[in-house]
Amino acid sequence: MNPHLAPVEVPDPALLPHVQRLCDLADPYAHGPAEDGLFAAAMAEINAWHAERSPFFRSLYEATPPALPYRTPLVHAAFFKRHEVLSIPRDRVDLHLTSSGTTGQKSQMFFDRWTIRAAQRMVARIFERNGWITPDQEVNYLLYSYEPAPALNLGTAFTDNYLCDFAPARSVAYALRNTGKEHEFDPFGSVAALQRFERDGAPVRILGFPAFLFFTMERMRAMGLPPLRLPEGSLVVLGGGWKGHADRRIGKVELYARVSEQLGIPGERIRDTFGSVEHCIPYIECNHHRLHAPVWSRVTIRSTRTLEPLPYGETGYLHLVSPYITSVPAQSVVMGDLASAQPGEACGCELTTDWFTVHGRAGVSRNRSCAVAAAELMKGMS
């Protein structure tokens, strides 16, 4: 068995049997009444779990109308920037991740072994479905994320390094280099890595912030370099957005076209993702570039005025629900992102689960995400 898909057991099988069954589903986009019923049962179990172990959640839960779907209180992601709320003893924490860069408010999220392994297995299920787990094929990695450093516990860095486990590394290059005191964006090093990878002949995997990839391609043009043709089988998996540089952002269609033009990677091998340290469920684009909800989560769009659910096509707060997490009562998180949802059949791909489009952050905030902190490193580099 692939080690990334190996079984992992919930903390208490007697209390969380439906959570176990849901997270064990092998088809990441299974959809139907049976899956809906299993999801509802798993949510009831995880709500009881956190109500028993977290006074904070118990007070919210007891005040929640039973008519609310899954009777799950809404917790805004910003709450975790100011509060540490655990449903497990500190000595059961297996991993601690943060959401932001070196300054500013950070979400502090804590994971027991079950929670982080369950989330990682979900990523592996989606990569497996797409044929992206290739244990017999070495690849060269260019990571548009933070080079490892002591005490670095950013969620984005953890995720990108984990994605390197799905194909053996022939070599790894980082765009954000560790200087000893901070990280600096290295556009020339990124260009040199791509040129080296083209000559090497092994497939290339480019992971991380899209803004850095764009700035690398801009630097290539400024240097008068001809387009590259990265080897067949190369893959781009982006995440983190363009926060902090909205005025320089280009659209997804244009970005993907630039990658195909300048790096020789076809559009179906370029995928964006959505995720957060507060909600680690993986949302990875289908081959039509839509973010479908996997079987382990449900997506609702809520009014920015009333928080009531909105119909398909309308824009509001992105509300994400999943019973996978036992360490922190973050099974129902309202993100700071504005989004709209559509039914699965509106995509045209083979997936039938609902999908959503992220339109940007809601309002103006001092809170800085990983992408904001990283984008600041690009000042003066273009």
Side-chain angles (χ1 to χ4, degrees):
M1 174 180 290
N2 188 300
H4 303 292
L5 301 173
V8 58
E9 189 174 77
V10 292
D12 191 326
L15 294 178
L16 302 169
H18 294 93
V19 172
Q20 181 79 66
R21 286 177 53 200
L22 178 72
C23 293
D24 281 346
L25 291 177
D27 181 354
Y29 299 104
H31 177 61
E35 288 78 16
D36 288 341
L38 179 57
F39 188 90
M43 285 302 301
E45 289 175 355
I46 205 65
N47 286 339
W49 173 271
H50 289 299
E52 177 67 24
R53 291 159 179 79
S54 168
F56 158 74
F57 180 77
R58 181 165 58 250
S59 64
L60 290 180
Y61 185 65
E62 290 174 349
T64 300
L68 191 70
Y70 313 120
R71 197 186 171 184
T72 304
L74 311 182
V75 180
H76 198 282
F79 173 85
F80 299 105
K81 296 182 181 296
R82 298 174 176 85
H83 304 278
E84 295 183 4
V85 181
L86 282 78
S87 297
I88 58 173
R90 292 268 175 177
D91 61 10
R92 291 268 309 281
V93 172
D94 196 61
L95 182 68
H96 169 214
L97 296 177
T98 67
S99 63
S100 65
T102 55
T103 63
Q105 293 170 307
K106 305 177 184 181
S107 287
Q108 304 289 333
M109 295 300 292
F110 303 87
F111 304 92
D112 54 12
R113 181 180 182 276
W114 154 261
T115 299
I116 195 62
R117 281 289 294 114
Q120 289 177 323
R121 190 168 57 159
M122 294 173 192
V123 177
R125 293 287 193 200
I126 296 176
F127 267 60
E128 179 187 48
R129 191 182 194 281
N130 283 288
W132 299 340
I133 297 181
T134 58
D136 299 324
Q137 173 66 68
E138 286 188 341
V139 304
N140 290 309
Y141 288 95
L142 175 55
L143 303 186
Y144 284 100
S145 59
Y146 298 90
E147 185 176 13
L152 180 68
N153 58 355
L154 297 176
T156 52
F158 177 84
T159 298
D160 288 338
N161 281 287
Y162 173 68
L163 296 183
C164 292
D165 288 344
F166 295 130
R170 190 178 183 92
S171 66
V172 179
Y174 287 88
L176 296 182
R177 303 302 305 278
N178 174 26
T179 65
K181 294 184 178 179
E182 58 185 9
H183 285 80
E184 292 184 359
F185 175 45
D186 182 9
F188 291 107
S190 299
V191 172
L194 290 170
Q195 292 174 317
R196 185 170 66 252
F197 293 165
E198 181 190 42
R199 294 191 299 268
D200 181 80
V204 179
R205 294 198 175 187
I206 299 172
L207 312 174
F209 298 115
F212 288 110
L213 175 57
F214 171 66
F215 273 79
T216 299
M217 293 188 295
E218 286 286 273
R219 184 56 55 96
M220 289 173 60
R221 281 190 173 178
M223 294 168 66
L225 297 177
L228 301 176
R229 287 296 174 263
L230 297 181
E232 184 178 354
S234 294
L235 176 69
V236 177
V237 180
L238 302 172
W242 294 64
K243 307 172 187 71
H245 280 270
D247 58 327
R248 307 177 73 177
R249 176 177 183 167
I250 65 173
K252 184 188 299 186
V253 172
E254 183 181 355
L255 176 64
Y256 291 4
R258 285 283 297 272
V259 173
S260 295
E261 173 195 346
Q262 290 188 256
L263 303 182
I265 300 177
E268 64 270 18
R269 301 285 294 181
I270 308 169
R271 307 291 179 94
D272 199 6
T273 67
F274 180 87
S276 74
V277 73
E278 301 92 354
H279 178 87
C280 292
I281 301 296
Y283 300 89
I284 300 176
E285 286 185 340
C286 67
N287 56 15
H288 287 194
H289 302 296
R290 313 289 194 186
L291 293 166
H292 289 261
V295 67
W296 314 289
S297 77
R298 296 294 184 271
V299 175
T300 303
I301 306 301
R302 294 192 173 273
S303 166
T304 57
R305 184 174 60 87
T306 66
L307 291 181
E308 290 298 312
L310 295 177
Y312 289 131
E314 294 195 18
T315 298
Y317 289 126
L318 180 62
H319 175 210
L320 304 173
V321 176
S322 176
Y324 81 106
I325 184 166
T326 54
S327 53
V328 174
Q331 69 270 40
S332 173
V333 180
V334 179
M335 308 302 298
D337 302 273
L338 294 175
S340 58
Q342 298 289 346
E345 57 268 21
C347 176
C349 76
E350 62 181 4
L351 307 182
T352 58
T353 61
D354 286 359
W355 51 273
F356 63 93
T357 301
V358 177
H359 302 293
R361 300 289 288 180
V364 178
S365 171
R366 292 184 179 182
N367 294 343
R368 293 161 13 107
S369 70
C370 294
V372 174
E376 290 179 355
L377 299 175
M378 293 192 292
K379 291 180 179 178
M381 300 301 293
S382 60

